[in-house]
Amino acid sequence: MSEQPILVLDPTGANHHAEHQALRSRGPATRVDILGVTAWSVSDPALLKQLLTSPQVSKDGRAHWPAFADTVPTWPLALWIAVNNMFTAHGGDHRRLRRMVAPAFSARRVQAMQSAVEAIVTALLDDLDTRPAGESIDLREHLAYPLPIAVIGRLVGVPDDQRDSFRAVVDGVFDTTLTRDQAATNTAALYNLLDQLIAAKRTASGDDMTSFLITARDDEAEGDGSGFTDDELRDTLLLMISAGYETTVNGIDHATTALLADPEQLAHLRAGRADWNDVVEETLRHEPAIKHLPLRYALTDIPLPDGQTILRGEAILASYAAANQHPHWHGENADRFDITRPTKEHLAFGHGVHFCLGAPLARLEIATTLQLLFDRFPELQLAVPAEKLKPLPSLISNGHQTLPVHLRPATNQTSNPTAKTRAAGAATITLTPAEQRVAEHLALGLAPRDIATAAHLSPHTVRSYMRTLRRKLQTPPRCALHVLVHTLLTTGQITPPTTTKPTPDLSPAEQLLLRAVAEHTDPHDIARAARIAPADVSTQVDALLTRTRASDTTQLIVLAHAWNLLGTSHNKAPSAGANR
């Protein structure tokens, strides 16, 4: 086979799809130029998986790449091959370093982080929900970035006031348009931040990964020496922080873009023909967060299927994105985003012993964000055509520079037929489908924890929707549950459920008390409205519960509406005193 000219990879990542097609057209592997370094780009998925698990391939450039010493001083991507952590380790060193970090990403620990992830996403969405309709919002900046930075910051123990600084230098690590001097300056700034973090944790340790690794390093140093060296400790934190957010940011970015650019995919999701896990996996297949990952090295001559040979000591580039869309793996429509695709296998997290430890956490963050985002903003739209989105300046990282969206249309008219609108006084209120589901479950008298089970949501998410309902209905932010339910019923947002319980023959005084309970929370307000003494409120409400056979105050209000005992003339918004 005649030798092909070396393909120079574009450091700006301007048209990566065309570049990946060019790689695949050259065969299972082809020689490429990566900012002046020649390597074999492997885009055939079968060959790539074989090399990723082969004992004939190493990630330790110091030991197995003859060009290492000459390359590191001048190559802009030197950090990718020169760090001292499990990313560049081989054999026993890799097992030792991975074993120290693995417990932080166990299935139990990741599952335990779900509520924290939901809380962070909900807070970010709450902030977005205050933006005016029709305003263009950069979703990458205001949602995709801050979530993983907060999660990994909490995991590693990065103080809140340092997270933006870490983000800036980590962005520089993935920017392949930097010169060698710019990259060196960025690396120095990154190491300075890491040194400050380690010094702070040595002085005041916490319940975080940095403190744990410092303790483990010190304990092992006094023992058999199998723990971290100082360089390994610092570079392990570098790996956790940088890898800990890049996959999540780009995953949220590309999943949102793909769903909004193709209404058919969103329709599959809403019709139940696919779920959020399908969206996550197809996104990771179709647009993996990392396009190419440098570098690996041949420990011996490796013959290729097309007759070429990777010679001992030559560098190998894992071209994950090109492999994920290979027709040999996913058919002729491999380049199409399809969440109903039967097989969504991919290499987004690598393969073999170097498979990404943080994959379960990244999947959790992406799926949680997408579900809560599209539940909160069902009319979400791209603010510019998808083809106008500019890629990150990187041949490694796969994402957009910005992701401008409209959270909701600028007009008062809704294009979503499932959103429900009712008039409440002079205001027009629109509930999303998810808010409507929560409201209807409230009308059944269910407690938030029971709603979470019935609606397949977490309790934290249910509480978030209840806060949104209170805000939209202009009730006090901490009003009692039964007051919220009364307002939902009064404004026609939900319909009182039918009941087989017989309607009680309440006296005028009991009906007056019933209305007072529906509209107020504070015992003094209830007493004043019901014309009874404050000391008698508890006793008389208990008697009313017994009389109506209601299990609690919320069910009492639901039944009162179902029996039409409150009367429209008395159905009014709760008083400002209902804020307990």
Side-chain angles (χ1 to χ4, degrees), residues 316-334:
I316 299 169
L317 180 70
S319 296
Y320 293 137
N324 278 359
Q325 291 194 21
H326 204 295
H328 291 176
W329 198 3
H330 292 291
E332 293 304 316
N333 70 341

Side-chain angles (χ1 to χ4, degrees), residues 110-125:
V110 170
Q111 187 62 36
M113 294 184 70
Q114 181 166 356
S115 60
V117 171
E118 290 177 350
I120 294 168
V121 175
T122 299
L124 293 170
L125 295 178

Side-chain angles (χ1 to χ4, degrees), residues 59 110 163 179 188 199 212 223 235 238 243 280 360 515:
K59 289 204 74 178
V110 170
R163 290 176 185 176
T179 65
F212 168 78
D235 285 352
L238 184 159
V280 172
R515 285 194 296 271

Side-chain angles (χ1 to χ4, degrees), residues 393-412:
S394 178
L395 63 81
I396 296 174
S397 184
N398 183 23
H400 300 111
Q401 294 181 33
T402 61
L403 181 57
V405 300
H406 295 303
L407 300 174
R408 56 177 72 87
T411 65
N412 287 331

Side-chain angles (χ1 to χ4, degrees), residues 201-232:
K201 294 300 178 181
R202 284 194 183 281
T203 302
S205 63
D207 184 18
D208 53 69
M209 196 63 187
T210 301
S211 300
F212 168 78
L213 294 178
I214 290 172
T215 301
R217 178 254 179 275
D218 293 346
D219 289 347
E220 293 293 343
E222 297 174 1
D224 59 8
S226 63
F228 289 119
T229 65
D230 288 338
D231 285 347
E232 288 170 344

